[in-house]
Amino acid sequence: MNQNDIFFSLDQQLANKLVASLTIPLKIDVLNPRYFNPGAWEETEIDSEESLASDLFEASLKSLEYAENRDETITEEIQEDEELYEIAKIAIDAFLAANPTERDPTDESFSSDYSFEQQKSLWGRIKKYAKKASNWLKKQAKKILKIKSVTLDKFLVTVEKRPVIIISNPIKVNDVYLKIDYKITVKYEIFGKGGRISFSDNFKMPNTDLDIKFKVDNLKYFAEPYFTSLKIVKYILGFKITISLAPLVNKKIKPMEIFDASKYIPEIPWFEKSFVPEPPLGLLTYGSGLSFGVNFKLRD
């Protein structure tokens, strides 16, 4: 890196002051704060779509087995029922599409616009197809189910204890203890038939790490936070479904402008001249801090 004319620094002491000033718990609506773009939270491809499709395939089998054996006399609300029904419905829809003669012509329980809350005897309706659909699905290749997109509908984060900030490039924000309240919609395709399933939950995520990278663009410095690890794990009848949120969230974080050198034009007393900033800017890690540099040219 070239030596710059003027430097300013960010030291560990300043980071410690920032941490000490935080009001804990700190609540953040990830979809709406200043440095996130709400308009960009649309359907997003994910890196591990084959793994998620395989997980949903296995969960479909388990949900069908659950539906087949579920005791309809159970009256208490089962928290997973809607999720399980939605997953089983994926398999039932595919089974009926591939085997249309199996469908009861009077059955309208699998319309695309169904509402779980408005239906009655849902498990009784799906139960009559469950065993045949399960046997049929077991014979199919796991890749028949494709994930088209994953959308974050809600993502509320509560920071529940003060993190540790280590000045470097990237800055390390360690030991972040989060409480997360989320809703995710997964669009899928099975045998060319599209559908969707939603997951929602709240849980605590201890020891999450966040990095903040610094970048230079012309005469501006930017800081860009990104999660190194952020995963949601759902258990359907003991079967684990893992969705990696880090790529989804990181794509939506706006770089934060921290310094604009173009606004810094120091005047030189008595000489009737001024310095004008120019590229390249400098960025250097040293000891327990970061150094930011600016070059100048002389202007009459």
Side-chain angles (χ1 to χ4, degrees):
M1 182 187 72
N2 295 330
Q3 186 74 14
N4 292 108
D5 295 324
I6 294 179
F7 287 91
F8 61 96
S9 63
L10 174 62
D11 293 317
Q12 187 65 48
Q13 181 179 356
L14 186 60
N16 295 342
K17 290 179 179 178
L18 173 62
V19 172
S21 71
L22 294 177
T23 301
I24 302 297
L26 176 63
K27 296 183 179 181
I28 304 170
D29 183 348
V30 173
L31 301 189
N32 293 302
R34 179 179 176 185
Y35 288 108
F36 289 79
N37 182 1
W41 290 93
E42 298 172 350
E43 299 166 9
T44 307
E45 294 182 358
I46 59 173
D47 297 332
S48 56
E49 60 182 29
E50 287 189 6
S51 175
L52 180 56
S54 178
D55 287 349
L56 281 173
F57 182 90
E58 297 294 339
S60 297
L61 291 174
K62 288 184 174 289
S63 295
L64 287 170
E65 292 171 2
Y66 174 78
E68 181 185 348
N69 298 305
R70 188 179 188 277
D71 186 351
E72 283 298 313
T73 62
I74 297 177
T75 56
E76 67 270 18
E77 181 179 353
I78 299 176
Q79 186 175 1
E80 289 184 323
D81 259 11
E82 184 171 357
E83 293 169 0
L84 293 173
Y85 186 88
E86 279 272 26
I87 294 174
K89 183 176 177 292
I90 294 175
I92 293 292
D93 284 345
F95 167 69
L96 293 176
N99 304 274
T101 58
E102 296 287 346
R103 181 164 188 159
D104 181 346
T106 64
D107 181 19
E108 298 179 354
S109 61
F110 302 108
S111 61
S112 59
D113 60 348
Y114 99 104
S115 170
F116 187 87
E117 293 82 1
Q118 295 173 355
Q119 299 293 329
K120 295 182 179 179
S121 305
L122 286 173
W123 291 107
R125 294 181 179 185
I126 203 170
K127 194 170 185 176
K128 57 187 172 185
Y129 300 113
K131 185 172 183 178
K132 287 184 178 181
S134 180
N135 291 334
W136 171 82
L137 199 64
K138 288 175 183 177
K139 299 176 183 178
Q140 312 305 311
K142 288 187 178 180
K143 290 186 178 180
I144 62 172
L145 193 151
K146 297 179 181 179
I147 302 302
K148 305 299 291 183
S149 65
V150 177
T151 305
L152 281 174
D153 302 311
K154 177 174 70 173
F155 198 68
L156 306 176
V157 173
T158 303
V159 182
E160 297 206 325
K161 76 172 188 178
R162 300 183 193 280
V164 175
I165 297 181
I166 301 173
I167 298 298
S168 60
N169 190 20
I171 288 179
K172 300 289 184 180
V173 185
N174 296 335
D175 298 331
V176 184
Y177 194 104
L178 303 178
K179 180 181 178 183
I180 294 176
D181 185 6
Y182 73 93
K183 181 179 180 182
I184 295 176
T185 297
V186 179
K187 278 193 173 183
Y188 63 87
E189 184 178 283
I190 184 166
F191 288 111
K193 184 179 178 64
R196 68 179 64 201
I197 180 172
S198 294
F199 298 100
S200 60
D201 200 358
N202 59 78
F203 63 97
K204 293 185 177 181
M205 180 177 288
N207 301 323
T208 303
D209 292 334
L210 176 71
D211 285 357
I212 302 176
K213 296 182 292 185
F214 287 95
K215 295 182 178 180
V216 175
D217 184 5
N218 197 22
L219 288 174
K220 294 181 179 181
Y221 284 106
F222 291 91
E224 186 173 5
Y226 67 100
F227 287 96
T228 56
S229 177
L230 186 61
K231 295 180 179 179
I232 284 177
V233 177
K234 289 290 293 182
Y235 288 90
I236 305 297
L237 297 177
F239 190 84
K240 183 168 73 171
I241 294 177
T242 302
I243 301 176
S244 179
L245 281 183
L248 288 171
V249 175
N250 291 339
K251 287 179 181 178
K252 310 305 178 183
I253 300 177
K254 292 181 180 179
M256 297 176 286
E257 181 183 318
I258 60 171
F259 183 73
D260 184 355
S262 66
K263 298 177 181 178
Y264 184 65
I265 306 178
E267 298 290 334
I268 307 172
W270 305 308
F271 291 95
E272 296 182 354
K273 297 180 183 294
S274 63
F275 284 123
V276 180
E278 63 177 353
L281 301 181
L283 184 59
L284 178 67
T285 303
Y286 69 94
S288 61
L290 286 173
S291 178
F292 303 86
V294 184
N295 282 320
F296 294 91
K297 63 181 178 181
L298 200 60
R299 183 180 70 180
D300 293 331

